[in-house]
Structures are given as C-alpha cells and as structure tokens.
Amino acid sequence: MLLSVVIVARNEEENIERCIKSILRETKGISKVEVLMVDSASTDQTVEIAKNYSINIIQLKSDWPLSPSAGRFSGVNNTTGKYVLIIDGDMELLAGWVNKALEFLDGNSKCAAVMGKSYNIYRNQEKPSLDRYAKRIGRTKKINYVQQSSFFRRICLEEVGNFHPFLRAEEEAEISCRLRNKGYNLYFLDYESAYHYRPHTDPFREMRRRKTTGLYPGMGDMFSWCLRKGYYTILWERFKVFFFFGMFAGCSVFGFLILLLLGQVIPAVVFLMLPVYFFVFQCVKKGSVRQGVLSWLNVSMIALSLLKGLFRKIPEISEYPKDVMWVKRIQGIKPY
C-alpha cells in the first residue's frame, strides 16, 4: 500500500461527507490507497453518513480515553501504507496537495513529515480565493512542528512509537519533537493543502469549547509528559509565555503575603495588582479591551493547566487499548 488516509472524526455529521468526497477525489489517480475513518464514539450520524462511501471505518469505545490523538494512534495502527495522511473530519483536501506531498516525500528520504498551508473557514464565511496564492512547490522550509492534514512516513512513525493516545492536546507537536530527536526533518511546503471548517468566530465561545473538550487540561497533560521524558526544548518553545506568566502571578501572591506579614499594606497591594498590570499591557498590545481580556484569560487558564499537570501522571503509549470495533472493512486490511 502506498498511501493510507486516516480521517479522525467525532460528531462531524455536518462535515464528514465533504471531507470524504475530497479525499476520494484527490486520491482517485493513486492505485494503492486505503481510506480509514476512525470514529471516536460519535453520538450523531457521522458513522451512518460515512457508511455510504467506499472507505473502511473503525470506532473507539466510549469508555476509552478519547482524544484526536487516540484517533491518530488507532488509525496508524490499523493501516499499512508507506505514507500516512492524517486529516480531521472537519477538513477538506484542496486540489493537488496529495500529489505534491507524495512527490516531495519520495524525493527526500530524511523527511519524516510534511505539511502545507490550510485555511480556517468559519460558518457563513465565503471560501478565500486561492487564485491569488502562487503555488510555489519549489519553496520549502524546515519547521519544528507539523499540524493539520500532514503526511507522515510510516517507518518514522513506527520508529518513534506512534502518536501518544493519552494526550488531549499538542499531540502533533509532541510527536514532531520525537521525530526531530531521531534526526528526521519536518518540512512546510508553500502549497494550499486544506480548508478547515470551524463552527464560529467568537473567541469567548472558542474558549468555552476548549475547556469543555479538555484542550486546556490537555496542555497540562503535555507539560507533565514532556517534563517526565525530558523534552525540555518543546517545553520552552511551546510554553515559555505561560511559564513567565505563572512566575509573574506566583511572585505577586508571594510578595503580597510577605509584605502583608511585615505590615507593609500599600506595597503588598501593589504586588497583588501585578496581574492587573499584565492585563493592561495586553489591552494596549492587542489594541482593545476585549482582546486584552481574551488574551489574559487564555494565558491564565493555560498557566493553571500547566500547574495542575505537575500532579498528573500520563500513561505510557503502550497502555492504550487496541481492540477497536470494525464497523466497515472493504479492503481486507488486517487489524493491529
């Protein structure tokens, strides 16, 4: 098998048909290709819609720890292609991306993964015109992390142990770190790869979504795992802003208590107000109070999640269940 396309989906009945159609369209000229949808215990019509198409379908059980990374992990385990394209169910492949990515991977043996340029499309928003973007496949650059509709070389994924299924966020950054630690390169191709359909543009609603779906706690999981494994480079690259804010807030509280015990009430209040100064700085930097509030809340929630992550132990990759449920199998690929 040359190419395996893994669709990771959960409750994507509004998007899954468009995603599948784009994959079948863009892989039509490839003779050795398999498409597998990994459904994370959807409660809507996602699976029923997907059954109408010539693809394989597996489901993760509802009592398992569910996450996009668990879908990636299970998708890699249950496919066989030399290359693996992993795409979320709310995305749509753009014309030419598959062939360009495969062409680049074939010519660069030290490349473990490659990504292109994707575009967020919000509800009721028109798609951007791609005619104004030059398709410059010759312009590439090495990057530290891949994300969204990325291609992976299977042998590299297997060498580093696959995606970490217990991570609820930052899973692509984490496996990118492991791939780079093994000496492999990651590349960005200046080529349109996918549309990513998003439900809304309101940042406060997006924050609530992140909280309810476990993305904020997932940052703490990532912090705990990387700290335990000694991935200090990724900790610095991904979390330095939140480290500084946490130290800033901690010094504020500590200074307040010490000065209060010394009877220095006014200086104590000044120390306690340090986070407020940060908020004012954010408002000025962002150019609006609304954006300042959003930035302050976002940084605060992530910093708190990192602190909580210190007290969590993330299981090893090998501990995740592998007995997935096969809903539909049309190409005779073997389960893990």
Side-chain angles (χ1 to χ4, degrees):
M1 194 67 67
L2 174 65
L3 174 64
S4 299
V5 182
V6 174
I7 308 169
V8 181
R10 176 177 170 82
N11 293 336
E12 292 290 355
E13 62 181 6
E14 293 185 9
N15 300 304
I16 195 63
E17 185 172 42
R18 178 176 53 231
C19 178
I20 294 172
K21 283 183 175 180
S22 73
I23 292 167
L24 297 179
R25 180 189 69 234
E26 294 305 311
T27 59
K28 188 175 181 179
I30 302 174
S31 59
K32 297 181 179 180
V33 61
E34 60 184 352
V35 181
L36 172 70
M37 187 183 85
V38 184
D39 180 74
S40 296
S42 290
T43 56
D44 64 1
Q45 295 298 304
T46 298
V47 173
E48 294 304 313
I49 294 171
K51 284 181 181 179
N52 295 322
Y53 294 90
S54 182
I55 66 171
N56 297 293
I57 304 171
I58 61 174
Q59 270 193 315
L60 308 185
K61 299 175 184 178
S62 59
D63 57 344
W64 290 1
L66 299 176
S67 67
S69 188
R72 287 160 168 73
F73 170 84
S74 299
V76 172
N77 277 346
N78 289 281
T79 54
T80 60
K82 178 181 179 181
Y83 303 117
V84 185
L85 165 60
I86 300 181
I87 184 170
D88 292 332
D90 58 357
M91 302 185 77
E92 175 186 5
L93 282 180
L94 295 178
W97 168 236
V98 171
N99 289 330
K100 292 298 183 182
L102 290 177
E103 176 187 336
F104 185 85
L105 285 164
D106 276 340
N108 295 271
S109 60
K110 291 296 290 182
C111 175
V114 62
M115 65 173 287
K117 185 174 180 59
S118 62
Y119 302 89
N120 288 331
I121 307 295
Y122 295 96
R123 184 167 293 168
N124 300 323
Q125 175 189 359
E126 291 186 7
K127 296 178 182 179
S129 172
L130 301 182
D131 293 339
R132 60 195 177 96
Y133 297 103
K135 293 177 170 58
R136 302 180 295 264
I137 191 61
R139 296 185 58 179
T140 65
K141 63 178 180 180
K142 288 184 181 180
I143 53 178
N144 290 336
Y145 308 102
V146 293
Q147 59 183 344
Q148 295 187 347
S149 65
S150 297
F151 281 78
F152 293 86
R153 194 182 301 272
R154 176 179 297 278
I155 192 172
C156 299
L157 286 177
E158 292 176 346
E159 184 178 346
V160 300
N162 203 346
F163 284 86
H164 196 313
F166 289 101
L167 293 181
R168 292 175 286 178
E170 293 282 313
E171 70 278 357
E172 290 162 317
E174 191 270 346
I175 199 166
S176 294
C177 177
R178 283 189 275 137
L179 289 168
R180 286 192 292 127
N181 287 347
K182 282 290 186 178
Y184 292 111
N185 298 320
L186 314 175
Y187 283 91
F188 169 81
L189 305 186
D190 195 2
Y191 198 93
E192 292 82 21
S193 62
Y195 288 136
H196 189 191
Y197 293 86
R198 311 299 295 271
H200 50 72
T201 59
D202 183 76
F204 290 98
R205 291 177 63 187
E206 176 62 17
M207 286 184 65
R208 287 196 296 271
R209 184 190 71 83
R210 292 181 180 183
K211 187 173 186 301
T212 56
T213 56
L215 290 179
Y216 282 126
M219 300 288 276
D221 296 345
M222 175 71 163
F223 178 66
S224 174
W225 174 256
C226 290
L227 192 64
R228 175 181 161 192
K229 292 296 182 178
Y231 300 155
Y232 302 122
T233 300
I234 192 174
L235 289 176
W236 176 251
E237 291 174 347
R238 307 293 286 190
F239 299 130
K240 57 179 176 287
V241 172
F242 313 112
F243 290 154
F244 287 131
F245 178 80
M247 293 173 61
F248 191 67
C251 289
S252 172
V253 174
F254 183 74
F256 168 76
L257 294 175
I258 294 298
L259 290 171
L260 197 62
L261 288 173
L262 295 175
Q264 303 294 316
V265 178
I266 295 179
V269 172
V270 172
F271 256 87
L272 191 61
M273 293 290 287
L274 285 178
V276 177
Y277 307 147
F278 178 82
F279 164 69
V280 173
F281 170 76
Q282 289 297 98
C283 290
V284 173
K285 180 181 177 181
K286 299 293 184 179
S288 75
V289 174
R290 176 183 171 83
Q291 290 299 318
V293 170
L294 176 66
S295 179
W296 188 86
L297 287 174
N298 189 58
V299 172
S300 298
M301 292 180 72
I302 294 177
L304 182 60
S305 296
L306 299 186
L307 178 62
K308 291 180 178 179
L310 289 173
F311 305 97
R312 284 200 296 272
K313 181 180 179 181
I314 309 304
E316 295 289 338
I317 295 174
S318 59
E319 296 178 40
Y320 198 81
K322 299 182 179 69
D323 55 327
V324 299
M325 298 183 294
W326 279 87
V327 177
K328 183 178 179 181
R329 185 187 298 173
I330 62 170
Q331 297 177 3
I333 60 176
K334 298 178 180 179
Y336 183 87

